[in-house]
Amino acid sequence: MQQPMIVLNTQKREEKRKAQLSNIHAAKAVANIIRTCLGPRAMLKMLMSQMAGIVLTNDGNAILREIDVSHPAAKNMIELARSQDEQVGDGTTSVIVLAGEVMSIAEPFIKKNIHPKVIVGAFYQALDHALEILPTLATKFDPSDDDKLKMVVRNAIGTKFLSKYEDQMGGIAIDAIRIIDRKVNNVREIDIKKLIRFQKIMGGEIEDSYLLKGAVLEKDVLHSQMNRRIENPRVLLMDVSIDYEKGESQTNIEIMNDEDFQRMLQIEEEYIKDMVEKIAKFKPDLVITEKGCSDLAQHYFFKHGITTLRRLRISDSNRIAKVTGATCVNRVDMIKEEDLGTKCKLFEVRKIGDSYYAFLDECEEPEACTIILRGPNKDIVNEIERNLMDGLKALKNVLLEPLLLPGGGATEMSLSQKLNEKAMSIKGIEQLPYRALSGAFEILPRTLIQNCGGKTMKVLTKLRAKHANGENKNWGINGLTGELADMSELNVWDSYSVKVQIIKSAIESSCMLLRIDEILSGKSKKEK
């Protein structure tokens, strides 16, 4: 009899059904963690990081980003939430809950030895049909109506911490999006990450937060007697070190007498003075450089009545260029009159708490902006930033694709009913997983009812009856009471692009995990 041959020297190995069931259980475990974070009655999670920091949030992506998991399928689910956040900025909790349910309904078929390829084929077929049904449920949206935009923001942050301040924050989000909304080569572009900055200032009340049509830097002027308030400043933006240039490598200087040493110092002084004179020739009121500025240069700038700031981040420099109209200059010899920014109407340094902040305010036609966030402590201000970012991304989605779908689980229930009807036309064994997937969409309205403490089976049965004839497509779950309600009357709508991304990501990710038939764990570095 032939002896068994060991080919793979792996630390851990799971095969076929065991690997698939392991992936299913891991996905269900991750979904169960954040299921209670769905809807306006969502619970908060307190997360303690390895650095002893504390995060309080009900944002799905923020929660999963902080937890530590070892199972590869669980890590895949966490990546799914991160991908959803990057793509559309909303629906991170929904996509994980739906993906967990899709994996859960596949478990009985795996146990009955139905081949995963059959299950996956049925799921993909159902996905194609769902994407065909969604446009028939959508409602067109007028992006020029500010009241409709406020409704979109309210729906995005209504389940979050900021729900009490939705009117104020909605106005801030709409004004900010209007500023950065522009066309580049006939393509509409809304770049939230680059053009909107959140400046978090501890202290004060949440109501003190506001939108600044300009830029703010956590900087003070370099010289104590420089002007801290300038109206209509001429701004010069530079990427130049205003100091004597040192040798790039080691430099040796041989000095024969004391006069040579004095002359060397004098040359350095003349070099810096010459740089400042070239800059002062253009009569700027404010010079901002990304690099350093020596004490001697500060003295000469003060003599010319020029206020100076130094050591900026590149992102801040780009934002200042957008709001002032200045062009960043890389050499003093290259400065031109048109490089100076004149769109800013007020430069002012203000002391807030123990810190100094330089404000470039009242800018004409700014292409970037800053949102000043105030709050009693760091945790609350961070949560405000996360919530407001969700609102901004929701606005971006409806402006780029002006379609809305009814919220409160109404869209999912309509999909469930229509796919269940379509399952009749599916022949063969694929009909079973297809029909099961149609029922998986009910997990979102069911979770909304559970999080309200409502009677799940009773309310869900009523909702099925409402959608049975296909006429009540806007009926869903009132997230506050757990009862049935018409979403068009409550003005609860979801972005079309977010809903499409949730369904596609959840089903495609689940199919990928179901196609895994073996989990191999390699050697650690120590064993190698």
Side-chain angles (χ1 to χ4, degrees):
M1 185 176 177
Q2 187 177 359
Q3 293 294 322
M5 182 183 296
I6 298 174
V7 178
L8 293 174
N9 186 20
T10 56
Q11 194 175 22
K12 186 180 178 183
R13 187 176 181 183
E14 293 180 359
E15 297 183 34
K16 297 188 178 178
R17 188 196 292 184
K18 188 177 179 182
Q20 289 151 359
L21 292 176
S22 174
N23 289 341
I24 290 170
H25 294 154
K28 287 165 64 178
V30 172
N32 287 334
I33 291 173
I34 61 170
R35 183 165 292 169
T36 57
C37 296
L38 186 70
R41 295 295 189 193
M43 304 296 283
L44 290 172
K45 304 290 184 186
M46 179 181 283
L47 307 168
M48 297 184 66
S49 66
Q50 295 179 351
M51 303 299 292
I54 295 175
V55 178
L56 289 168
T57 184
N58 64 352
D59 182 80
N61 181 51
I63 293 166
L64 296 179
R65 193 173 56 213
E66 294 291 335
I67 64 175
D68 184 26
V69 297
S70 57
H71 197 284
K75 289 181 179 178
N76 183 271
M77 294 286 281
I78 292 171
E79 284 297 308
L80 177 61
R82 186 183 63 81
S83 172
Q84 177 78 13
D85 189 62
E86 287 183 357
Q87 289 293 322
V88 291
D90 198 11
T92 52
T93 304
S94 300
V95 73
I96 296 297
V97 171
L98 182 57
E101 184 66 12
V102 172
M103 293 292 286
S104 180
I105 62 164
E107 186 175 4
F109 300 113
I110 295 291
K111 288 182 176 178
K112 289 177 183 176
N113 289 326
I114 296 177
H115 197 279
K117 196 69 178 174
V118 176
I119 302 170
V120 168
F123 284 0
Y124 274 127
Q125 200 172 354
L127 174 60
D128 292 339
H129 290 159
L131 295 179
E132 291 172 5
I133 294 167
L134 280 175
T136 65
L137 305 174
T139 303
K140 288 187 178 179
F141 171 80
D142 181 12
S144 62
D145 189 344
D146 279 2
D147 291 334
K148 292 285 183 68
L149 290 176
K150 281 187 179 179
M151 177 198 69
V152 171
V153 181
R154 193 182 304 119
N155 291 331
I157 65 177
T159 62
K160 316 278 185 185
F161 173 79
L162 276 183
S163 57
K164 294 180 181 178
Y165 311 95
E166 57 189 23
D167 291 333
Q168 179 194 359
M169 295 301 171
I172 290 174
I174 291 168
D175 291 342
I177 285 290
R178 293 278 191 221
I179 288 172
I180 67 168
D181 185 7
R182 57 200 172 113
K183 282 192 175 182
V184 179
N185 299 325
N186 292 325
V187 177
R188 196 170 193 173
E189 186 177 292
I190 303 174
D191 195 338
I192 296 173
K193 191 173 181 180
K194 286 185 179 178
L195 300 180
I196 298 179
R197 184 189 173 188
F198 292 93
Q199 181 64 52
K200 294 178 277 191
I201 303 176
M202 307 306 161
E205 298 179 354
I206 296 173
E207 292 91 338
D208 297 334
S209 303
Y210 66 96
L211 176 70
L212 180 75
K213 293 182 179 179
V216 61
L217 307 167
E218 195 171 350
K219 300 279 182 185
D220 191 10
V221 295
L222 298 183
H223 194 286
S224 60
Q225 294 181 336
M226 285 180 175
N227 292 332
R228 281 189 162 85
R229 179 184 171 87
I230 306 171
E231 294 183 1
N232 300 314
R234 289 164 55 85
V235 181
L236 178 61
L237 193 58
M238 304 176 68
D239 183 18
V240 179
S241 177
I242 309 173
D243 198 354
Y244 185 74
E245 290 189 11
K246 311 293 191 298
E248 291 185 5
S249 56
Q250 186 176 358
T251 305
N252 296 320
I253 300 175
E254 186 175 343
I255 297 173
M256 303 301 295
N257 51 53
D258 185 54
E259 288 78 9
D260 292 340
F261 181 71
Q262 294 299 327
R263 179 58 186 154
M264 185 182 70
L265 296 177
Q266 189 179 356
I267 291 172
E268 289 187 9
E269 187 175 329
E270 290 172 355
Y271 178 83
I272 293 172
K273 187 177 181 180
D274 183 57
M275 285 185 74
V276 174
E277 291 292 340
K278 288 178 179 177
I279 293 169
K281 184 173 65 175
F282 292 90
K283 298 180 180 178
D285 299 307
L286 176 63
V287 172
I288 304 174
T289 177
E290 293 179 17
K291 296 180 180 175
C293 179
S294 68
D295 294 341
L296 187 60
Q298 295 172 30
H299 169 73
Y300 287 129
F301 276 128
F302 170 67
K303 289 292 185 184
H304 284 90
I306 299 172
T307 301
T308 314
L309 301 175
R310 66 179 175 186
R311 304 199 191 284
L312 262 68
R313 290 193 294 263
I314 295 176
S315 58
D316 287 335
S317 179
N318 293 337
R319 207 172 288 110
I320 290 171
K322 295 283 186 185
V323 301
T324 63
T327 304
C328 190
V329 181
N330 295 310
R331 287 179 59 188
V332 174
D333 299 333
M334 296 170 61
I335 300 174
K336 300 176 183 176
E337 179 64 31
E338 54 266 27
D339 293 331
L340 275 73
T342 55
K343 290 184 178 180
C344 177
K345 295 301 179 186
L346 177 65
F347 167 78
E348 187 176 17
V349 176
R350 304 170 194 163
K351 186 178 182 182
I352 304 175
D354 295 329
S355 302
Y356 287 94
Y357 295 88
F359 287 82
L360 292 156
D361 201 357
E362 301 175 17
C363 299
E364 293 180 353
E365 299 178 357
E367 295 180 7
C369 60
T370 305
I371 297 175
I372 310 294
L373 299 180
R374 304 299 303 274
N377 59 51
K378 184 177 69 174
D379 295 326
I380 289 178
V381 173
N382 288 338
E383 183 67 5
I384 294 170
E385 180 187 9
R386 284 190 289 267
N387 295 171
L388 201 49
M389 182 62 81
D390 288 345
L392 289 167
K393 288 181 177 178
L395 284 173
K396 175 184 175 180
N397 293 329
V398 296
L399 289 173
L400 295 178
E401 192 170 8
L403 290 172
L404 295 176
L405 288 166
T411 301
E412 288 78 7
M413 186 55 76
S414 294
L415 280 175
S416 178
Q417 292 290 334
K418 291 181 183 297
L419 290 176
N420 194 36
E421 292 170 8
K422 256 189 192 305
M424 300 292 187
S425 62
I426 305 297
K427 295 181 180 179
I429 199 169
E430 288 189 350
Q431 185 186 105
L432 296 175
Y434 187 103
R435 190 185 296 278
L437 183 63
S438 70
F441 285 104
E442 293 185 0
I443 186 62
L444 293 175
R446 185 188 300 125
T447 303
L448 284 173
I449 300 168
Q450 289 172 346
N451 289 349
C452 292
K455 297 177 180 178
T456 308
M457 292 307 299
K458 183 179 178 181
V459 178
L460 205 57
T461 304
K462 287 182 180 178
L463 187 59
R464 285 196 198 103
K466 279 282 185 186
H467 284 263
N469 56 10
E471 294 178 359
N472 301 309
K473 67 176 185 178
N474 291 338
W475 278 79
I477 305 297
N478 184 334
L480 296 172
T481 63
E483 298 295 330
L484 296 190
D486 188 343
M487 296 296 108
S488 59
E489 292 180 3
L490 292 181
N491 271 334
V492 177
W493 299 92
D494 290 331
S495 168
Y496 178 83
S497 56
V498 171
K499 195 67 74 176
V500 168
Q501 187 70 26
I502 288 172
I503 294 169
K504 287 174 67 176
S505 298
I507 295 177
E508 288 176 356
S509 176
S510 301
C511 290
M512 184 185 70
L513 290 175
L514 290 172
R515 290 175 63 187
I516 296 169
D517 69 344
E518 199 160 354
I519 299 175
L520 303 172
S521 178
K523 284 184 175 182
S524 64
K525 289 184 178 180
K526 291 181 180 179
E527 291 176 337
K528 289 180 181 180

